[in-house]
Amino acid sequence: MIFLTALPLFWIMISASRGGHWSAWMPSSISAFEGTCVSIPCRFDFPDELRPAVVHGVWYFNSPYPKNYPPVVFKSRTQVVHESFQGRSRLLGDLGLRNCTLLLSTLSPELGGKYYFRGDLGGYNQYTFSEHSVLDIINTPNIVVPPEVVAGKEVEVSCMVPDNCPELRPEISWLGHEGLGEPTVLGRLREDEGTWVLVSLLHFVPTREANGHRLGCQAAFPNTTLQFEGYASLDVKYPPVIVEMNSSVEAIEGSHVSLVCGADSNPPPLLTWMRDGTVLREAVTEILYLELEEVTPGEDGVYACLAENAYGQDNRTVELSVMYAPWKPTVNGTMVAVEGETVSILCSTQSNPDPILTIFKEKQILATVIYESQLQLELPAVTPEDDGEYWCVAENQYGQRATAFNLSVEFAPMILLESHCAAARDTVQCLCVVKSNPEPSVAFELPSRNVTVNETEREFVYSERSGLLLTSILTLRGQAQSPPRVICTARNLYGTKSLELPFQGAHRLMWAKIGPVGAVVAFAILIAIVCYITQTRRKKNVTESPSFSAGDNPHVLYSSDFRISGAPEKYESERRLGSERRLLGLRGEPPELDLSYSHSDLGKRPTKDSYTLTEELAEYAEIRVK
């Protein structure tokens, strides 16, 4: 057995030494459609010194070694073949001409495999060639698509079907190519190993819409029912296009916001959410969400979505508007000014939407703007009346905020008209009311006595400040008989103001209280009292005992010297005290000023400093008229 195996090698060595050798040629692979036929081209050679009378040959299936008893496909000596190949195989070539071409018909899948040829020259001159052909039984055409199909660039797709059956010739047609282009049939082509294929080409420029398109090719054999179809899905590469994104978004401060960005591309894009150049989130996906929890005004702005792959990029933006109430307004400007200067005050805030801004002073609107973030208040020439507290109020539909600010107007002192002097019992009180900013220094001058009393001398001067008003009261005791001239002088860094204070007597105060109508009533009462006293005196003169003396009763005078003794006198004195207090406008008792009486004081009052009831009524009436 070893001898038989080694014999071919021996003959090859001998043949090589003589110039010839055993060899064969056939395609390494060949394909054919099921149900058709295939012709496997084959040629072989043997040493020249071998001159056989007859050349025989054998085709084996799937094994070259006879000892393995492989199925015989074709055998020229006996025509005995394996049952699978009965009636299906025949030799097309002439073995004498060293042509071993084999024809297989009515192909079925089980016939696919390796085919080996063995030359038989008689005797020991037999040789099984290692070269073999692999038969592939197919059911679909071969559609060849380029490895990369890019949108916008022309592409060539081919459909190839084997054409190795001399008995049946295929025809090719395209399926699903509408809108792509018209096919071109190149014809029958011979491959490198001697096999034949029928090729049809389809040229077109793909678009992104063609991605995933199912393109088919059909091979049909005329006069038969044999039809074979193959399909290929187009994998069109194209740059991203953003197809889904929020429009402008409005959200209330503190709410939740979801921004979405979706892109169409092949391959899938890298999606990136950005704001002001900062990457917020990114991922390789077709849709990407950006979740914003409890948004704040600081997150208000423009957000960008960038989509990119190897073939290009696309980007779009969305504006997020966070709605919120105005912030506490800020006030910038001059808060201290000198009278006559121009003052400019700027009130500003921030809100969305823009607010209504208003500047108030004592509930009076001084300036306002609508849907603006700033408000300018111009006071061209400030006066003391402009001094005080102001409010800047900002409001929109989401809330209201306000800021208070003070404008201080500095000006020279002004002595108000209510400044005066008045007598009260045995004292003279001088009231000097000064309006100024900053606070002035006040002095009382008595020219006739060459004396100046400053407000620092608390024994004589009481001062109280309320806002821009400074009230100073000078108290002089024992001056009611001949009140001196009093000049009030107020000064600060912007100037000096002096005023001689007018003297207002007690009779003027009384008439101011009573008024014209009261004067008539008082006059009637006066007449009634006089009549009553006269009648009483007459009765007393009649019934009076001898021990009665005129000095036991107060001397009653008529006309201007008339007065009422006892309780009525106290009542009138207290009434005059109330009038003086109202005129002075005091908020409290000045130092060393005692204006209250007791019953024991009534007899101690100096008669010469008292006014008659008639004079007091007249003074009260005069004040009422004024």
Side-chain angles (χ1 to χ4, degrees), residues 537-555:
R537 286 175 61 95
R538 289 177 181 176
K539 291 180 180 181
K540 285 183 178 181
N541 290 333
V542 175
T543 60
E544 194 175 54
S545 64
S547 61
F548 179 81
S549 64
D552 294 338
N553 288 320
H555 179 63

Side-chain angles (χ1 to χ4, degrees), residues 343 345 357-369 375-380 382 385-393 405 407:
V343 173
I345 297 174
L357 275 173
T358 307
I359 294 180
F360 294 89
K361 183 177 185 290
E362 297 176 354
K363 298 184 180 180
Q364 180 183 359
I365 297 176
L366 302 180
T368 185
V369 291
L375 174 59
Q376 189 89 19
L377 175 63
E378 294 285 348
L379 300 175
V382 293
E385 286 70 24
D386 295 321
D387 188 285
E389 184 181 55
Y390 293 73
W391 284 90
C392 179
V393 179
F405 62 95
L407 173 61

Side-chain angles (χ1 to χ4, degrees), residues 401-549:
R401 295 295 297 275
T403 297
F405 62 95
N406 287 283
L407 173 61
S408 178
V409 179
E410 296 186 343
F411 54 94
M414 295 185 296
I415 300 178
L416 303 187
L417 295 178
E418 54 261 36
S419 302
H420 66 277
C421 291
R425 290 196 305 175
D426 61 342
T427 63
V428 172
Q429 289 183 329
C430 293
L431 176 70
C432 187
V433 182
V434 182
K435 184 176 183 180
S436 73
N437 189 20
E439 182 177 349
S441 61
V442 177
F444 293 93
E445 181 183 357
L446 284 68
S448 61
R449 302 183 184 180
N450 197 23
V451 174
T452 299
V453 182
N454 295 319
E455 59 182 338
T456 56
E457 299 181 53
R458 299 298 178 87
E459 181 180 359
F460 303 101
V461 179
Y462 169 77
S463 296
E464 178 179 319
R465 183 173 178 85
S466 176
L468 299 178
L469 295 180
L470 176 66
T471 302
S472 292
I473 301 173
L474 172 66
T475 302
L476 301 175
R477 294 188 177 276
Q479 304 295 325
Q481 290 282 340
S482 57
R485 290 175 56 222
V486 178
I487 298 175
C488 177
T489 301
R491 61 169 51 88
N492 64 12
L493 59 91
Y494 296 106
T496 302
K497 183 69 174 179
S498 296
L499 177 68
E500 182 174 346
L501 303 179
F503 185 85
Q504 294 182 353
H507 62 284
R508 299 184 62 185
L509 296 176
M510 181 61 69
W511 285 114
K513 296 177 183 178
I514 297 176
V517 177
V520 175
V521 175
F523 185 71
I525 294 173
L526 175 61
I527 294 174
I529 293 174
V530 170
C531 293
Y532 172 77
I533 293 174
T534 302
Q535 294 296 329
T536 303
R537 286 175 61 95
R538 289 177 181 176
K539 291 180 180 181
K540 285 183 178 181
N541 290 333
V542 175
T543 60
E544 194 175 54
S545 64
S547 61
F548 179 81
S549 64

Side-chain angles (χ1 to χ4, degrees), residues 58-75 80-82 85 114-116 118 128:
V58 181
W59 281 93
Y60 291 116
F61 181 64
N62 277 341
S63 178
Y65 304 111
K67 65 178 182 178
N68 294 335
Y69 301 103
V72 176
V73 178
F74 173 82
K75 189 173 185 179
V80 176
V81 298
H82 188 271
F85 296 96
K114 298 177 181 179
Y115 288 82
Y116 294 88
R118 178 180 176 84
T128 299

Side-chain angles (χ1 to χ4, degrees), residues 563-599:
R563 70 180 66 199
I564 302 174
S565 61
E569 182 179 357
K570 179 181 178 182
Y571 171 77
E572 294 299 329
S573 299
E574 292 177 343
R575 189 156 55 85
R576 283 201 303 272
L577 176 60
S579 300
E580 291 294 332
R581 288 180 174 174
R582 284 193 293 273
L583 288 173
L584 293 174
L586 297 178
R587 293 175 180 261
E589 293 292 341
E592 301 189 28
L593 183 60
D594 183 10
L595 300 180
S596 62
Y597 297 130
S598 64
H599 289 287

Side-chain angles (χ1 to χ4, degrees), residues 73-90:
V73 178
F74 173 82
K75 189 173 185 179
S76 60
R77 284 184 179 274
T78 62
Q79 302 296 321
V80 176
V81 298
H82 188 271
E83 60 182 356
S84 300
F85 296 96
Q86 288 181 0
R88 292 183 173 184
S89 62
R90 62 189 177 95

